[in-house]
Amino acid sequence: MKEVTCILSAVEQGDPHAAEQLLPLVYDELRQLAAQKLVQEKPGQTLQATALVHEAYLRLVDVEQAQQWNSRGHFFAAAAEAMRRILVERARHKASHKRGGRAQRIDLDSLEVAAADRGHELLLLDDALRELEQHDAQAAQLVKLRYFAGLGHQEAAEALGISRRAADRLWALARAWLYQQIGEE
């Protein structure tokens, strides 16, 4: 844990070799997060967990201005946000008319219509999360940590620096608020 924090600090200071040292230390956890997110996607997803991890990692460390991470939890929260953005971008890309719009895929082996596209649900969730951020940024961050980073309730509370009870209240608020927003759609 301390090694990750030290390397994050070196990345923040602009050390070009620190990013190379960081990936092996956090790769397994990032890959696990990515796999959890992709399980929620529709069958036939072409994006693999490895590709999602690599793209998210590049967005985190391969930027012109060094990122500042306060802790390991802050880094993983940033990784969850990067993965969310990647999945949302892919969903928007697939939903565009130029790419076939909302056309349903057909599994030629069984000649059954494939499962419904979850990209639309992901876009609804993204829109609702943006609105929740305007209403209560901490509640939105809790949802991102639980849903996109795959953190448990206690881990998410620790990452946010709040008590378990405060996280319980935020989680109840966020769930009710998102249910109301997405239910209207």
Side-chain angles (χ1 to χ4, degrees):
M1 293 256 199
K2 289 186 178 189
E3 189 175 359
V4 171
T5 305
C6 290
I7 292 173
L8 288 172
S9 179
V11 168
E12 186 179 311
Q13 300 300 322
D15 181 357
H17 301 291
E20 295 170 11
Q21 297 169 356
L22 179 63
L23 185 59
L25 295 175
V26 297
Y27 184 79
D28 289 336
E29 287 183 71
L30 289 176
R31 183 141 185 352
Q32 190 176 33
L33 291 176
Q36 289 172 348
K37 293 300 123 210
L38 291 174
V39 163
Q40 298 168 357
E41 293 295 309
K42 69 177 183 166
Q45 175 63 259
T46 58
L47 182 65
Q48 299 296 318
T50 302
L52 181 57
V53 167
H54 291 184
E55 190 169 340
Y57 186 78
L58 286 175
R59 288 186 183 195
L60 291 172
V61 298
D62 192 28
V63 293
E64 293 194 17
Q65 196 171 43
Q67 300 288 330
Q68 294 189 0
W69 294 295
N70 299 337
S71 64
R72 182 178 175 277
H74 187 210
F75 174 78
F76 280 100
E81 178 68 17
M83 288 181 194
R84 178 184 72 85
R85 288 180 180 171
I86 291 165
L87 291 171
V88 167
E89 287 169 9
R90 287 184 58 88
R92 283 193 176 122
H93 180 75
K94 284 184 175 184
S96 70
H97 289 289
K98 183 177 180 181
R99 305 285 182 235
R102 305 232 186 275
Q104 293 287 322
R105 293 180 184 258
I106 297 175
D107 182 9
L108 296 178
D109 292 334
S110 64
L111 295 177
E112 294 179 17
V113 176
D117 185 2
R118 293 189 50 119
H120 179 68
E121 293 172 8
L122 186 60
L123 293 176
L124 287 174
L125 177 61
D126 183 58
D127 290 340
L129 269 176
R130 287 175 195 234
E131 290 181 35
L132 179 58
E133 264 181 330
Q134 300 300 317
H135 178 71
D136 189 333
Q138 196 171 38
Q141 188 63 28
L142 179 65
V143 171
K144 290 176 190 176
L145 289 171
R146 300 258 342 251
Y147 187 79
F148 290 100
L151 296 182
H153 196 65
Q154 184 65 37
E155 294 170 315
E158 289 171 5
L160 289 174
I162 60 175
S163 70
R164 169 79 188 221
R165 290 185 67 119
D168 289 341
R169 287 189 299 272
L170 279 176
W171 184 245
L173 167 87
R175 286 182 59 196
W177 198 90
L178 289 171
Y179 180 78
Q180 180 183 6
Q181 295 298 314
I182 293 174
E184 291 174 2
E185 296 292 328

